[in-house]
Amino acid sequence: MSKSIHGRNVINLMKTHTPQPREQWLALMAQEFGQDAQFHTCQASDMTAEQLFELFVGNGRLSDSAEGYTINQCGHCAGKEGHNHA
């Protein structure tokens, strides 16, 4: 039985890299955590890398730009009305 990796470990990995396309992030996750790794967060469990990536996109942890997807460094912005960085 493989150990489930918390999403924060993926966030920490992403913080150390430049923006990349989705496929490159998934390849990096496979390289770092294993091709068959399972992931979890406080909200969900038993996710594949693809499912975790989509969760991060959906909840605002990842933002897409011309350079590729990048991690939202704040981590508290998604769904927080009135939240700003001023």
Side-chain angles (χ1 to χ4, degrees), residues 17-20 25 61-65 68-73:
H17 289 78
T18 59
Q20 298 182 47
W25 280 126
R61 293 301 305 262
L62 288 177
S63 299
D64 193 10
S65 69
Y69 286 92
T70 186
I71 193 68
N72 175 351
Q73 294 290 334

Side-chain angles (χ1 to χ4, degrees), residues 17-66:
H17 289 78
T18 59
Q20 298 182 47
R22 180 182 186 273
E23 295 75 25
Q24 287 181 334
W25 280 126
L26 294 174
L28 181 63
M29 290 168 68
Q31 177 184 341
E32 182 73 17
F33 303 112
Q35 188 68 36
D36 297 322
Q38 290 290 302
F39 300 90
H40 69 277
T41 66
C42 297
Q43 302 171 345
S45 60
D46 299 321
M47 291 182 285
T48 63
E50 292 87 359
Q51 290 169 323
L52 180 67
F53 190 90
E54 293 305 318
L55 176 69
F56 285 162
V57 170
N59 69 14
R61 293 301 305 262
L62 288 177
S63 299
D64 193 10
S65 69

